[in-house]
Amino acid sequence: MRRTMGLFLLVGFVVSAGFFYAPQGDSHLAYPFEEIPKPRAPLLPRITSAQQLVPFAKIILQRDYIGQRLGWSIKGGERVLLIVNNRIHPWVVEALTTALYELKCPVEVIFQERKLVRWKSGTQEWADEALRLIEQRLSEDLNTPPDKQYPSWSGSGTPRPRNPGLRLTEEQLKKYDVIIGPQLGPRNQPGLISSLSYIATPELLASPRILFPGELMDFMEQKIWQVIRAAERVRVRGVQGTDFTFTWFPEWWEIVEGTHPKIRSGADQSTFNTLRPGRSEYAVFAGHLLLHPRYGAIEGSDAHGVVVSQQGDWGFMWPPLAIHLNRGEISEIEHGGFFGDFWRRSLELTQDVQYPGFSRPGTGWMEEFALGTNPKVFGPMRVKELEGVEGRDPGSISWSYARDRSGAVHGGYGVLGSKWWNTIYQMPAGHYHQFFFFLDYDVTTRDGRTVRVMDKGHLTFLDDPEVRAMAARYGDPDQLLREDWIPEVTREGKILRPETRLIPYDEWLAQLPIKPDDPRLIYRIPEQLKKFYGEDRVRYYDPEEFMEFYRKIGQIPVKKVARQ
């Protein structure tokens, strides 16, 4: 879409709906400073050996995988292949192998060195190179797989150099019952959330995040989902100026259910996106609850307003990136430095490509707005004792890691819903993220109720009496349900890392609301959720079924279409 067109559409909306991104002077705060939550950060253990990490490794290895929660369902005695790289701290590797030995599992370890790439993601050089390659790909036949190997850009996140990964033969796979690592997921299934980056450092592994009870999270998510599933209208506001609305049309749920007559979206080969009739009865993807319809775009898409954040896949941006939405897609991008320039240009380059599963051409669709639900997740923090320590400094934790904290949200825009096609033809999906930590999310339900799901980033369901009653079965609900990590917000509106310190490991362990030796932390998927997250829910899609579906409605072969 052309920038001038976007401005025209946006002005028309601002006049009619009253949304406008207008920072006051040097400040980017939309709320009074006194109303913004004060920063805090959890105390961290002073870890001195891998042995201190073993109890936490055992929990992850033994519990079931569900949504954003790592798990490998180890019962004892399985033959395990552990795949690691040089980004995983040696103590984490040692803790995992020790835990597996204690569970009587023979284990083999493959170490993959992650090499430096020719151009580094998140730099001006990267942006220029990525744009050049997008232009090159779009100059070729869209419906013929290219001979050239393009960057990894068909799925989620900004373009990045391809990692050749590990290729195991069928014969090699027969040697193992479980494969753990970044290339192959739980139960040997590629595509599931299995990256060891979530526990790459000692401080990430020995974390209350690992100890938050799965039963409690299931219960809370079901309560949240009952509100989302009943939603009709939503308004979202944020301290940096986010303010947009949209409608949960019944048609959106046809995409979730996999019954829409013109939109099919298998996306990833996992429970993450296995869309079948009945799928929307429970929260779609645990720990990653959709707060906006995703992976497709109906004709009536009506998200309008502005979405503002200083953090995204590409790092820190100041002034914060402001995305203006009109009819469910990006109509204008303000600020964002070289990344804002990159994104504007990539939208222009793809504005006439009619991707399958979207009602109009282009790659600017709002297709994800996902809620984290674990109050014990933390993000980057300033810790004097660990500053500059390679593989240990909490200040270098990615802001994307913090998106799983309760009340935190990540928004995604692009055409990830056509990933099955993007992957075959190496087409850019443009699915880029923003991260939000101080949002209000207000729902008007179809029966006229109003519910605030988040209040300046605080997940209100943590205060629900029934949630607190269940938490009390594990420990002090005030401690267990407390959001441990809240970034600092300055008077000019910048969001910064909070500060904390290390304390002795035994002292830290003693003050935890729940201890790692509690057997209830070995989570098993309950019977009522097995139809959503059990083994039989995993389905590996044949892209040909999507090809045939979209051939019938005229979106395959993919064409360039003039925008109306």
Side-chain angles (χ1 to χ4, degrees), residues 87 114-123 125-127 129-130 133 149-154 157-165 183 426:
R87 296 183 184 178
R114 297 294 295 270
K115 298 179 180 177
L116 292 174
V117 296
R118 183 168 61 85
W119 41 277
K120 186 179 178 184
S121 177
T123 63
E125 180 191 12
W126 156 84
E129 177 75 354
L133 291 169
Q149 188 78 293
Y150 283 97
S152 177
W153 59 23
S154 61
T158 50
R160 51 199 177 276
R162 287 183 181 273
N163 182 347
Q183 310 303 328
Q426 294 194 58

PDB file of all heavy atoms in Angstrom, residues 87 114-123 125-127 129-130 133 149-154 157-165 183 426:
ATOM      1  N   ARG A  87      24.905 -21.402  22.138  1.00  0.00           N
ATOM      2  CA  ARG A  87      24.130 -20.386  22.852  1.00  0.00           C
ATOM      3  C   ARG A  87      23.537 -20.939  24.153  1.00  0.00           C
ATOM      4  O   ARG A  87      22.966 -20.172  24.935  1.00  0.00           O
ATOM      5  CB  ARG A  87      23.015 -19.850  21.955  1.00  0.00           C
ATOM      6  CG  ARG A  87      23.543 -19.114  20.727  1.00  0.00           C
ATOM      7  CD  ARG A  87      22.427 -18.536  19.904  1.00  0.00           C
ATOM      8  NE  ARG A  87      22.938 -17.910  18.685  1.00  0.00           N
ATOM      9  CZ  ARG A  87      22.163 -17.359  17.759  1.00  0.00           C
ATOM     10  NH1 ARG A  87      20.852 -17.359  17.910  1.00  0.00           N
ATOM     11  NH2 ARG A  87      22.689 -16.817  16.678  1.00  0.00           N
ATOM     12  N   ARG A 114      26.765 -22.473  16.352  1.00  0.00           N
ATOM     13  CA  ARG A 114      26.067 -21.448  15.582  1.00  0.00           C
ATOM     14  C   ARG A 114      27.096 -20.474  15.043  1.00  0.00           C
ATOM     15  O   ARG A 114      27.767 -19.768  15.790  1.00  0.00           O
ATOM     16  CB  ARG A 114      25.058 -20.715  16.460  1.00  0.00           C
ATOM     17  CG  ARG A 114      23.950 -21.594  17.011  1.00  0.00           C
ATOM     18  CD  ARG A 114      23.037 -22.115  15.916  1.00  0.00           C
ATOM     19  NE  ARG A 114      22.305 -21.041  15.267  1.00  0.00           N
ATOM     20  CZ  ARG A 114      21.105 -20.614  15.681  1.00  0.00           C
ATOM     21  NH1 ARG A 114      20.529 -21.162  16.725  1.00  0.00           N
ATOM     22  NH2 ARG A 114      20.493 -19.638  15.046  1.00  0.00           N
ATOM     23  N   LYS A 115      27.248 -20.453  13.729  1.00  0.00           N
ATOM     24  CA  LYS A 115      28.288 -19.628  13.115  1.00  0.00           C
ATOM     25  C   LYS A 115      27.803 -18.200  12.900  1.00  0.00           C
ATOM     26  O   LYS A 115      26.611 -17.940  12.775  1.00  0.00           O
ATOM     27  CB  LYS A 115      28.715 -20.244  11.781  1.00  0.00           C
ATOM     28  CG  LYS A 115      29.321 -21.639  11.944  1.00  0.00           C
ATOM     29  CD  LYS A 115      29.701 -22.225  10.597  1.00  0.00           C
ATOM     30  CE  LYS A 115      30.303 -23.621  10.756  1.00  0.00           C
ATOM     31  NZ  LYS A 115      30.623 -24.242   9.459  1.00  0.00           N
ATOM     32  N   LEU A 116      28.758 -17.269  12.856  1.00  0.00           N
ATOM     33  CA  LEU A 116      28.428 -15.896  12.532  1.00  0.00           C
ATOM     34  C   LEU A 116      27.948 -15.820  11.086  1.00  0.00           C
ATOM     35  O   LEU A 116      28.446 -16.521  10.214  1.00  0.00           O
ATOM     36  CB  LEU A 116      29.652 -14.991  12.716  1.00  0.00           C
ATOM     37  CG  LEU A 116      30.125 -14.808  14.161  1.00  0.00           C
ATOM     38  CD1 LEU A 116      31.422 -14.007  14.163  1.00  0.00           C
ATOM     39  CD2 LEU A 116      29.063 -14.091  14.984  1.00  0.00           C
ATOM     40  N   VAL A 117      26.968 -14.956  10.831  1.00  0.00           N
ATOM     41  CA  VAL A 117      26.411 -14.834   9.487  1.00  0.00           C
ATOM     42  C   VAL A 117      27.018 -13.626   8.785  1.00  0.00           C
ATOM     43  O   VAL A 117      27.607 -12.749   9.415  1.00  0.00           O
ATOM     44  CB  VAL A 117      24.876 -14.699   9.552  1.00  0.00           C
ATOM     45  CG1 VAL A 117      24.281 -15.964  10.122  1.00  0.00           C
ATOM     46  CG2 VAL A 117      24.476 -13.494  10.393  1.00  0.00           C
ATOM     47  N   ARG A 118      26.827 -13.596   7.468  1.00  0.00           N
ATOM     48  CA  ARG A 118      27.427 -12.519   6.673  1.00  0.00           C
ATOM     49  C   ARG A 118      26.827 -11.159   7.049  1.00  0.00           C
ATOM     50  O   ARG A 118      27.503 -10.152   7.075  1.00  0.00           O
ATOM     51  CB  ARG A 118      27.212 -12.800   5.183  1.00  0.00           C
ATOM     52  CG  ARG A 118      27.864 -11.792   4.258  1.00  0.00           C
ATOM     53  CD  ARG A 118      27.859 -12.291   2.835  1.00  0.00           C
ATOM     54  NE  ARG A 118      26.526 -12.515   2.324  1.00  0.00           N
ATOM     55  CZ  ARG A 118      25.769 -11.553   1.786  1.00  0.00           C
ATOM     56  NH1 ARG A 118      26.240 -10.322   1.703  1.00  0.00           N
ATOM     57  NH2 ARG A 118      24.574 -11.818   1.327  1.00  0.00           N
ATOM     58  N   TRP A 119      25.532 -11.134   7.313  1.00  0.00           N
ATOM     59  CA  TRP A 119      24.933  -9.886   7.768  1.00  0.00           C
ATOM     60  C   TRP A 119      24.081 -10.178   8.986  1.00  0.00           C
ATOM     61  O   TRP A 119      23.414 -11.189   9.093  1.00  0.00           O
ATOM     62  CB  TRP A 119      24.116  -9.212   6.667  1.00  0.00           C
ATOM     63  CG  TRP A 119      23.287 -10.105   5.813  1.00  0.00           C
ATOM     64  CD1 TRP A 119      23.697 -10.823   4.732  1.00  0.00           C
ATOM     65  CD2 TRP A 119      21.885 -10.390   5.961  1.00  0.00           C
ATOM     66  NE1 TRP A 119      22.659 -11.531   4.196  1.00  0.00           N
ATOM     67  CE2 TRP A 119      21.540 -11.283   4.924  1.00  0.00           C
ATOM     68  CE3 TRP A 119      20.912  -9.975   6.848  1.00  0.00           C
ATOM     69  CZ2 TRP A 119      20.246 -11.765   4.763  1.00  0.00           C
ATOM     70  CZ3 TRP A 119      19.620 -10.452   6.692  1.00  0.00           C
ATOM     71  CH2 TRP A 119      19.303 -11.340   5.645  1.00  0.00           C
ATOM     72  N   LYS A 120      24.152  -9.268   9.943  1.00  0.00           N
ATOM     73  CA  LYS A 120      23.564  -9.501  11.251  1.00  0.00           C
ATOM     74  C   LYS A 120      22.150  -8.944  11.329  1.00  0.00           C
ATOM     75  O   LYS A 120      21.902  -7.789  10.993  1.00  0.00           O
ATOM     76  CB  LYS A 120      24.430  -8.861  12.342  1.00  0.00           C
ATOM     77  CG  LYS A 120      23.973  -9.180  13.755  1.00  0.00           C
ATOM     78  CD  LYS A 120      24.902  -8.535  14.767  1.00  0.00           C
ATOM     79  CE  LYS A 120      24.426  -8.817  16.182  1.00  0.00           C
ATOM     80  NZ  LYS A 120      25.259  -8.134  17.179  1.00  0.00           N
ATOM     81  N   SER A 121      21.209  -9.777  11.802  1.00  0.00           N
ATOM     82  CA  SER A 121      19.831  -9.349  11.981  1.00  0.00           C
ATOM     83  C   SER A 121      19.760  -8.167  12.943  1.00  0.00           C
ATOM     84  O   SER A 121      20.444  -8.128  13.948  1.00  0.00           O
ATOM     85  CB  SER A 121      18.998 -10.523  12.510  1.00  0.00           C
ATOM     86  OG  SER A 121      17.676 -10.122  12.751  1.00  0.00           O
ATOM     87  N   GLY A 122      18.889  -7.198  12.613  1.00  0.00           N
ATOM     88  CA  GLY A 122      18.691  -6.072  13.512  1.00  0.00           C
ATOM     89  C   GLY A 122      19.602  -4.897  13.268  1.00  0.00           C
ATOM     90  O   GLY A 122      19.740  -4.033  14.139  1.00  0.00           O
ATOM     91  N   THR A 123      20.215  -4.810  12.091  1.00  0.00           N
ATOM     92  CA  THR A 123      21.098  -3.696  11.764  1.00  0.00           C
ATOM     93  C   THR A 123      20.625  -3.045  10.462  1.00  0.00           C
ATOM     94  O   THR A 123      19.832  -3.602   9.707  1.00  0.00           O
ATOM     95  CB  THR A 123      22.545  -4.171  11.571  1.00  0.00           C
ATOM     96  OG1 THR A 123      22.585  -5.082  10.448  1.00  0.00           O
ATOM     97  CG2 THR A 123      23.061  -4.900  12.807  1.00  0.00           C
ATOM     98  N   GLU A 125      22.445  -2.639   7.876  1.00  0.00           N
ATOM     99  CA  GLU A 125      22.939  -3.511   6.807  1.00  0.00           C
ATOM    100  C   GLU A 125      21.960  -4.645   6.542  1.00  0.00           C
ATOM    101  O   GLU A 125      21.666  -4.987   5.393  1.00  0.00           O
ATOM    102  CB  GLU A 125      24.307  -4.081   7.203  1.00  0.00           C
ATOM    103  CG  GLU A 125      24.915  -5.003   6.137  1.00  0.00           C
ATOM    104  CD  GLU A 125      26.123  -5.775   6.639  1.00  0.00           C
ATOM    105  OE1 GLU A 125      26.363  -5.778   7.856  1.00  0.00           O
ATOM    106  OE2 GLU A 125      26.809  -6.374   5.799  1.00  0.00           O
ATOM    107  N   TRP A 126      21.455  -5.225   7.636  1.00  0.00           N
ATOM    108  CA  TRP A 126      20.461  -6.303   7.510  1.00  0.00           C
ATOM    109  C   TRP A 126      19.209  -5.815   6.791  1.00  0.00           C
ATOM    110  O   TRP A 126      18.674  -6.480   5.907  1.00  0.00           O
ATOM    111  CB  TRP A 126      20.116  -6.817   8.905  1.00  0.00           C
ATOM    112  CG  TRP A 126      18.782  -7.464   9.024  1.00  0.00           C
ATOM    113  CD1 TRP A 126      18.462  -8.749   8.732  1.00  0.00           C
ATOM    114  CD2 TRP A 126      17.567  -6.853   9.472  1.00  0.00           C
ATOM    115  NE1 TRP A 126      17.129  -8.977   8.977  1.00  0.00           N
ATOM    116  CE2 TRP A 126      16.563  -7.825   9.427  1.00  0.00           C
ATOM    117  CE3 TRP A 126      17.232  -5.574   9.909  1.00  0.00           C
ATOM    118  CZ2 TRP A 126      15.249  -7.563   9.805  1.00  0.00           C
ATOM    119  CZ3 TRP A 126      15.929  -5.309  10.280  1.00  0.00           C
ATOM    120  CH2 TRP A 126      14.964  -6.294  10.222  1.00  0.00           C
ATOM    121  N   ALA A 127      18.717  -4.626   7.171  1.00  0.00           N
ATOM    122  CA  ALA A 127      17.500  -4.102   6.556  1.00  0.00           C
ATOM    123  C   ALA A 127      17.692  -3.881   5.062  1.00  0.00           C
ATOM    124  O   ALA A 127      16.826  -4.243   4.245  1.00  0.00           O
ATOM    125  CB  ALA A 127      17.096  -2.795   7.251  1.00  0.00           C
ATOM    126  N   GLU A 129      19.898  -5.331   3.049  1.00  0.00           N
ATOM    127  CA  GLU A 129      20.060  -6.612   2.360  1.00  0.00           C
ATOM    128  C   GLU A 129      18.734  -7.347   2.243  1.00  0.00           C
ATOM    129  O   GLU A 129      18.414  -7.921   1.204  1.00  0.00           O
ATOM    130  CB  GLU A 129      21.085  -7.476   3.119  1.00  0.00           C
ATOM    131  CG  GLU A 129      21.309  -8.868   2.551  1.00  0.00           C
ATOM    132  CD  GLU A 129      22.135  -8.861   1.271  1.00  0.00           C
ATOM    133  OE1 GLU A 129      22.434  -7.771   0.757  1.00  0.00           O
ATOM    134  OE2 GLU A 129      22.462  -9.962   0.775  1.00  0.00           O
ATOM    135  N   ALA A 130      17.931  -7.317   3.302  1.00  0.00           N
ATOM    136  CA  ALA A 130      16.640  -7.999   3.268  1.00  0.00           C
ATOM    137  C   ALA A 130      15.724  -7.389   2.211  1.00  0.00           C
ATOM    138  O   ALA A 130      15.042  -8.109   1.470  1.00  0.00           O
ATOM    139  CB  ALA A 130      15.981  -7.949   4.647  1.00  0.00           C
ATOM    140  N   LEU A 133      16.762  -8.526  -1.242  1.00  0.00           N
ATOM    141  CA  LEU A 133      16.378  -9.903  -1.521  1.00  0.00           C
ATOM    142  C   LEU A 133      14.865 -10.047  -1.727  1.00  0.00           C
ATOM    143  O   LEU A 133      14.412 -10.858  -2.535  1.00  0.00           O
ATOM    144  CB  LEU A 133      16.857 -10.812  -0.385  1.00  0.00           C
ATOM    145  CG  LEU A 133      18.386 -10.974  -0.298  1.00  0.00           C
ATOM    146  CD1 LEU A 133      18.776 -11.658   0.999  1.00  0.00           C
ATOM    147  CD2 LEU A 133      18.915 -11.755  -1.495  1.00  0.00           C
ATOM    148  N   GLN A 149      18.436 -19.985  -2.563  1.00  0.00           N
ATOM    149  CA  GLN A 149      18.010 -20.146  -1.175  1.00  0.00           C
ATOM    150  C   GLN A 149      17.889 -18.768  -0.545  1.00  0.00           C
ATOM    151  O   GLN A 149      18.875 -18.085  -0.293  1.00  0.00           O
ATOM    152  CB  GLN A 149      19.027 -20.997  -0.403  1.00  0.00           C
ATOM    153  CG  GLN A 149      18.571 -21.371   0.991  1.00  0.00           C
ATOM    154  CD  GLN A 149      17.574 -22.506   1.005  1.00  0.00           C
ATOM    155  OE1 GLN A 149      16.460 -22.358   0.540  1.00  0.00           O
ATOM    156  NE2 GLN A 149      17.961 -23.640   1.535  1.00  0.00           N
ATOM    157  N   TYR A 150      16.646 -18.325  -0.285  1.00  0.00           N
ATOM    158  CA  TYR A 150      16.409 -17.017   0.312  1.00  0.00           C
ATOM    159  C   TYR A 150      16.443 -17.113   1.836  1.00  0.00           C
ATOM    160  O   TYR A 150      16.428 -18.212   2.399  1.00  0.00           O
ATOM    161  CB  TYR A 150      15.071 -16.460  -0.171  1.00  0.00           C
ATOM    162  CG  TYR A 150      15.141 -15.914  -1.575  1.00  0.00           C
ATOM    163  CD1 TYR A 150      14.736 -16.688  -2.662  1.00  0.00           C
ATOM    164  CD2 TYR A 150      15.639 -14.637  -1.809  1.00  0.00           C
ATOM    165  CE1 TYR A 150      14.822 -16.195  -3.959  1.00  0.00           C
ATOM    166  CE2 TYR A 150      15.726 -14.138  -3.110  1.00  0.00           C
ATOM    167  CZ  TYR A 150      15.312 -14.916  -4.171  1.00  0.00           C
ATOM    168  OH  TYR A 150      15.417 -14.416  -5.444  1.00  0.00           O
ATOM    169  N   PRO A 151      16.475 -15.966   2.531  1.00  0.00           N
ATOM    170  CA  PRO A 151      16.479 -16.011   3.998  1.00  0.00           C
ATOM    171  C   PRO A 151      15.232 -16.704   4.544  1.00  0.00           C
ATOM    172  O   PRO A 151      14.243 -16.919   3.834  1.00  0.00           O
ATOM    173  CB  PRO A 151      16.502 -14.528   4.401  1.00  0.00           C
ATOM    174  CG  PRO A 151      17.056 -13.820   3.220  1.00  0.00           C
ATOM    175  CD  PRO A 151      16.583 -14.588   2.025  1.00  0.00           C
ATOM    176  N   SER A 152      15.271 -17.026   5.814  1.00  0.00           N
ATOM    177  CA  SER A 152      14.121 -17.616   6.493  1.00  0.00           C
ATOM    178  C   SER A 152      13.132 -16.492   6.776  1.00  0.00           C
ATOM    179  O   SER A 152      13.284 -15.730   7.728  1.00  0.00           O
ATOM    180  CB  SER A 152      14.573 -18.285   7.792  1.00  0.00           C
ATOM    181  OG  SER A 152      13.474 -18.797   8.496  1.00  0.00           O
ATOM    182  N   TRP A 153      12.107 -16.359   5.917  1.00  0.00           N
ATOM    183  CA  TRP A 153      11.157 -15.261   6.069  1.00  0.00           C
ATOM    184  C   TRP A 153       9.722 -15.687   5.758  1.00  0.00           C
ATOM    185  O   TRP A 153       8.828 -14.855   5.696  1.00  0.00           O
ATOM    186  CB  TRP A 153      11.552 -14.077   5.192  1.00  0.00           C
ATOM    187  CG  TRP A 153      11.632 -14.355   3.709  1.00  0.00           C
ATOM    188  CD1 TRP A 153      11.012 -15.338   2.987  1.00  0.00           C
ATOM    189  CD2 TRP A 153      12.385 -13.587   2.749  1.00  0.00           C
ATOM    190  NE1 TRP A 153      11.317 -15.253   1.658  1.00  0.00           N
ATOM    191  CE2 TRP A 153      12.162 -14.183   1.481  1.00  0.00           C
ATOM    192  CE3 TRP A 153      13.203 -12.472   2.835  1.00  0.00           C
ATOM    193  CZ2 TRP A 153      12.755 -13.689   0.316  1.00  0.00           C
ATOM    194  CZ3 TRP A 153      13.774 -11.985   1.679  1.00  0.00           C
ATOM    195  CH2 TRP A 153      13.563 -12.581   0.442  1.00  0.00           C
ATOM    196  N   SER A 154       9.490 -16.968   5.611  1.00  0.00           N
ATOM    197  CA  SER A 154       8.148 -17.434   5.256  1.00  0.00           C
ATOM    198  C   SER A 154       7.247 -17.588   6.473  1.00  0.00           C
ATOM    199  O   SER A 154       6.046 -17.791   6.331  1.00  0.00           O
ATOM    200  CB  SER A 154       8.237 -18.775   4.516  1.00  0.00           C
ATOM    201  OG  SER A 154       8.838 -19.761   5.336  1.00  0.00           O
ATOM    202  N   GLY A 157       8.490 -13.680  12.474  1.00  0.00           N
ATOM    203  CA  GLY A 157       9.709 -12.932  12.767  1.00  0.00           C
ATOM    204  C   GLY A 157      10.312 -12.290  11.536  1.00  0.00           C
ATOM    205  O   GLY A 157       9.922 -12.555  10.401  1.00  0.00           O
ATOM    206  N   THR A 158      11.276 -11.428  11.784  1.00  0.00           N
ATOM    207  CA  THR A 158      11.923 -10.700  10.701  1.00  0.00           C
ATOM    208  C   THR A 158      12.816 -11.626   9.884  1.00  0.00           C
ATOM    209  O   THR A 158      13.227 -12.683  10.357  1.00  0.00           O
ATOM    210  CB  THR A 158      12.764  -9.553  11.272  1.00  0.00           C
ATOM    211  OG1 THR A 158      13.597 -10.069  12.306  1.00  0.00           O
ATOM    212  CG2 THR A 158      11.876  -8.472  11.858  1.00  0.00           C
ATOM    213  N   PRO A 159      13.128 -11.256   8.631  1.00  0.00           N
ATOM    214  CA  PRO A 159      14.005 -12.102   7.811  1.00  0.00           C
ATOM    215  C   PRO A 159      15.325 -12.378   8.514  1.00  0.00           C
ATOM    216  O   PRO A 159      15.911 -11.489   9.132  1.00  0.00           O
ATOM    217  CB  PRO A 159      14.220 -11.254   6.547  1.00  0.00           C
ATOM    218  CG  PRO A 159      13.055 -10.337   6.493  1.00  0.00           C
ATOM    219  CD  PRO A 159      12.702 -10.042   7.919  1.00  0.00           C
ATOM    220  N   ARG A 160      15.787 -13.596   8.429  1.00  0.00           N
ATOM    221  CA  ARG A 160      17.060 -13.942   9.056  1.00  0.00           C
ATOM    222  C   ARG A 160      17.750 -15.010   8.225  1.00  0.00           C
ATOM    223  O   ARG A 160      17.086 -15.814   7.561  1.00  0.00           O
ATOM    224  CB  ARG A 160      16.869 -14.414  10.489  1.00  0.00           C
ATOM    225  CG  ARG A 160      15.818 -15.499  10.651  1.00  0.00           C
ATOM    226  CD  ARG A 160      15.348 -15.595  12.103  1.00  0.00           C
ATOM    227  NE  ARG A 160      14.304 -16.578  12.283  1.00  0.00           N
ATOM    228  CZ  ARG A 160      13.009 -16.345  12.080  1.00  0.00           C
ATOM    229  NH1 ARG A 160      12.616 -15.153  11.662  1.00  0.00           N
ATOM    230  NH2 ARG A 160      12.110 -17.274  12.281  1.00  0.00           N
ATOM    231  N   PRO A 161      19.071 -15.035   8.264  1.00  0.00           N
ATOM    232  CA  PRO A 161      19.813 -16.047   7.499  1.00  0.00           C
ATOM    233  C   PRO A 161      19.382 -17.448   7.914  1.00  0.00           C
ATOM    234  O   PRO A 161      19.060 -17.704   9.078  1.00  0.00           O
ATOM    235  CB  PRO A 161      21.274 -15.771   7.883  1.00  0.00           C
ATOM    236  CG  PRO A 161      21.290 -14.360   8.349  1.00  0.00           C
ATOM    237  CD  PRO A 161      19.969 -14.112   8.987  1.00  0.00           C
ATOM    238  N   ARG A 162      19.371 -18.357   6.964  1.00  0.00           N
ATOM    239  CA  ARG A 162      18.941 -19.719   7.247  1.00  0.00           C
ATOM    240  C   ARG A 162      20.003 -20.477   8.034  1.00  0.00           C
ATOM    241  O   ARG A 162      21.184 -20.401   7.750  1.00  0.00           O
ATOM    242  CB  ARG A 162      18.649 -20.480   5.948  1.00  0.00           C
ATOM    243  CG  ARG A 162      17.371 -20.044   5.281  1.00  0.00           C
ATOM    244  CD  ARG A 162      17.082 -20.873   4.044  1.00  0.00           C
ATOM    245  NE  ARG A 162      15.874 -20.420   3.404  1.00  0.00           N
ATOM    246  CZ  ARG A 162      14.651 -20.848   3.717  1.00  0.00           C
ATOM    247  NH1 ARG A 162      14.507 -21.765   4.660  1.00  0.00           N
ATOM    248  NH2 ARG A 162      13.592 -20.391   3.094  1.00  0.00           N
ATOM    249  N   ASN A 163      19.537 -21.241   9.012  1.00  0.00           N
ATOM    250  CA  ASN A 163      20.398 -22.178   9.723  1.00  0.00           C
ATOM    251  C   ASN A 163      20.156 -23.545   9.092  1.00  0.00           C
ATOM    252  O   ASN A 163      19.026 -24.028   9.081  1.00  0.00           O
ATOM    253  CB  ASN A 163      20.014 -22.212  11.209  1.00  0.00           C
ATOM    254  CG  ASN A 163      20.894 -23.140  12.018  1.00  0.00           C
ATOM    255  OD1 ASN A 163      21.638 -23.948  11.453  1.00  0.00           O
ATOM    256  ND2 ASN A 163      20.814 -23.037  13.324  1.00  0.00           N
ATOM    257  N   PRO A 164      21.180 -24.166   8.541  1.00  0.00           N
ATOM    258  CA  PRO A 164      20.959 -25.438   7.852  1.00  0.00           C
ATOM    259  C   PRO A 164      20.380 -26.509   8.762  1.00  0.00           C
ATOM    260  O   PRO A 164      19.739 -27.448   8.304  1.00  0.00           O
ATOM    261  CB  PRO A 164      22.358 -25.825   7.359  1.00  0.00           C
ATOM    262  CG  PRO A 164      23.302 -25.039   8.204  1.00  0.00           C
ATOM    263  CD  PRO A 164      22.591 -23.774   8.536  1.00  0.00           C
ATOM    264  N   GLY A 165      20.571 -26.375  10.070  1.00  0.00           N
ATOM    265  CA  GLY A 165      19.961 -27.312  10.992  1.00  0.00           C
ATOM    266  C   GLY A 165      20.569 -28.698  10.917  1.00  0.00           C
ATOM    267  O   GLY A 165      21.619 -28.934  10.326  1.00  0.00           O
ATOM    268  N   GLN A 183      15.907 -28.090  16.821  1.00  0.00           N
ATOM    269  CA  GLN A 183      15.501 -28.488  15.476  1.00  0.00           C
ATOM    270  C   GLN A 183      14.308 -29.435  15.477  1.00  0.00           C
ATOM    271  O   GLN A 183      13.514 -29.447  14.565  1.00  0.00           O
ATOM    272  CB  GLN A 183      16.666 -29.163  14.744  1.00  0.00           C
ATOM    273  CG  GLN A 183      17.981 -28.380  14.792  1.00  0.00           C
ATOM    274  CD  GLN A 183      17.840 -26.987  14.239  1.00  0.00           C
ATOM    275  OE1 GLN A 183      17.055 -26.749  13.334  1.00  0.00           O
ATOM    276  NE2 GLN A 183      18.585 -26.045  14.780  1.00  0.00           N
ATOM    277  N   GLN A 426       9.145 -19.856  -0.962  1.00  0.00           N
ATOM    278  CA  GLN A 426      10.088 -18.937  -0.322  1.00  0.00           C
ATOM    279  C   GLN A 426       9.632 -17.480  -0.449  1.00  0.00           C
ATOM    280  O   GLN A 426      10.402 -16.591  -0.828  1.00  0.00           O
ATOM    281  CB  GLN A 426      11.497 -19.106  -0.893  1.00  0.00           C
ATOM    282  CG  GLN A 426      12.137 -20.449  -0.596  1.00  0.00           C
ATOM    283  CD  GLN A 426      13.627 -20.429  -0.887  1.00  0.00           C
ATOM    284  OE1 GLN A 426      14.371 -19.631  -0.335  1.00  0.00           O
ATOM    285  NE2 GLN A 426      14.059 -21.312  -1.769  1.00  0.00           N
TER     286      GLN A 426
END
